[in-house]
Amino acid sequence: MTTLFISDIHLTAERPDMTAALLAFLQGEARQADALYVLGDLFEFWIGDDDPNPLHQELAEAFAALPRAGVPLYFVHGNRDFLLGQAYARRAGMTLLSDPTLINLYGERTLVMHGDSLCTLDAAYQRFRRITGWPWLRWLFLRLPLTRRQRIAKKLRGNSQKESAYKSQAIMDVTQDAVEALMREQGATLLIHGHTHRPATHDFTLDGQAVRRIVLGDWFEQGSVLVCRPGEAHLERRPLPSL
């Protein structure tokens, strides 16, 4: 009995080693799991389900093999791929989940989410997140010509990299108050998220009860997988191939 969690892979054609590592994971270890949860930022950016990028099709086929083998596949949107829609999800065999979603993980009330909404000290980012969540703006963007969307995405990526260079690490991390408020509201004893690229397990006490927050890692230098079994959870690394 094993449930797997991954996030922040940021797939792009410029990093074939990350793609190869993920494909090996999907074709091997993931096939033996009870379920696989992908908690956002699977792709470096997403400009619409109609993007003919060959990488997207390759991954859709690899993911779709999991539910055909009896392994449920769940996806939570990240801040890089929040426009991933039902059309692609159907091709990839994914079930889209809201952010956050409360699940029963081997008897434990567990919240799964991307994690960016918990970075409440980053006021500029939270404002951007609210704006990009407007349904009419998403509708309008997805109806722009593909080349126009690609230019916009490239500009946004550049702006994000510049902003990250001068923001403090504390501002870009989650805040404990936001974590506790959400876990208390949902009655959860375990929170699993990504986004911050700071893999770790944080144990603390909430209203007199022992609880945990597990942060998933990115796949820039090695794969990062949370392996959960009844009564245990381990963050594990997976090597990237040399191509």
Side-chain angles (χ1 to χ4, degrees):
M1 300 178 69
T2 305
T3 298
L4 305 174
F5 298 83
I6 60 175
S7 73
D8 298 286
I9 305 168
H10 294 263
L11 292 173
T12 174
E14 287 74 31
R15 287 294 305 272
D17 55 336
M18 295 194 303
T19 300
L22 179 59
L23 289 174
F25 169 76
L26 295 176
Q27 293 161 5
E29 181 179 0
R31 295 281 184 97
Q32 311 304 318
D34 293 332
L36 172 63
Y37 288 80
V38 183
L39 303 187
D41 285 2
L42 171 61
F43 296 97
E44 176 64 9
F45 64 93
W46 192 266
I47 59 174
D49 292 2
D50 59 336
D51 185 350
N53 190 327
L55 176 62
H56 299 172
Q57 183 56 37
E58 182 180 20
L59 265 296
E61 294 171 358
F63 275 115
L66 290 181
R68 288 199 298 267
V71 181
L73 173 62
Y74 303 99
F75 181 82
V76 175
H77 291 99
N79 54 294
R80 298 284 185 153
D81 47 24
F82 60 86
L83 289 174
L84 190 149
Q86 287 290 352
Y88 187 80
R90 284 192 295 270
R91 294 204 303 272
M94 296 174 170
T95 297
L96 299 182
L97 300 179
S98 59
D99 185 4
T101 288
L102 184 67
I103 66 172
N104 182 328
L105 182 61
Y106 303 122
E108 184 167 17
R109 290 176 64 87
T110 301
L111 275 172
V112 295
M113 62 191 303
H114 181 57
D116 56 329
S117 63
L118 299 174
C119 301
T120 55
L121 293 181
D122 193 344
Y125 171 73
Q126 293 301 329
R127 183 167 55 252
F128 172 80
R129 189 174 185 275
R130 287 193 298 272
I131 292 172
T132 56
W134 292 344
W136 67 266
L137 186 60
R138 295 187 179 195
W139 182 92
L140 183 62
F141 177 81
L142 291 173
R143 279 152 184 80
L144 293 174
L146 188 63
T147 53
R148 179 75 180 279
R149 281 180 269 157
Q150 289 171 333
R151 289 196 298 270
I152 294 174
K154 183 177 181 180
K155 182 176 181 180
L156 289 175
R157 286 173 67 194
N159 291 342
S160 176
Q161 291 170 350
K162 291 177 182 178
E163 291 173 2
S164 297
Y166 70 80
K167 285 182 181 178
S168 72
Q169 293 298 307
I171 286 179
M172 293 190 293
D173 203 355
V174 305
T175 61
Q176 186 65 16
D177 286 347
V179 168
E180 293 183 5
L182 181 61
M183 295 185 72
R184 182 180 291 115
E185 174 190 321
Q186 298 290 333
T189 56
L190 174 60
L191 169 62
I192 302 172
H193 71 84
H195 181 65
T196 65
H197 300 202
R198 301 175 187 182
T201 297
H202 303 271
D203 296 291
F204 57 100
T205 301
L206 180 62
D207 300 332
Q209 183 177 21
V211 299
R212 290 175 299 162
R213 176 172 67 91
I214 302 179
V215 188
L216 307 177
D218 60 54
W219 286 52
F220 294 153
E221 297 180 359
Q222 68 278 311
S224 178
V225 183
L226 175 63
V227 181
C228 294
R229 300 183 180 91
E232 60 178 299
H234 303 284
L235 278 167
E236 300 181 2
R237 297 180 178 181
R238 300 290 183 270
L240 298 184
S242 298
L243 300 179

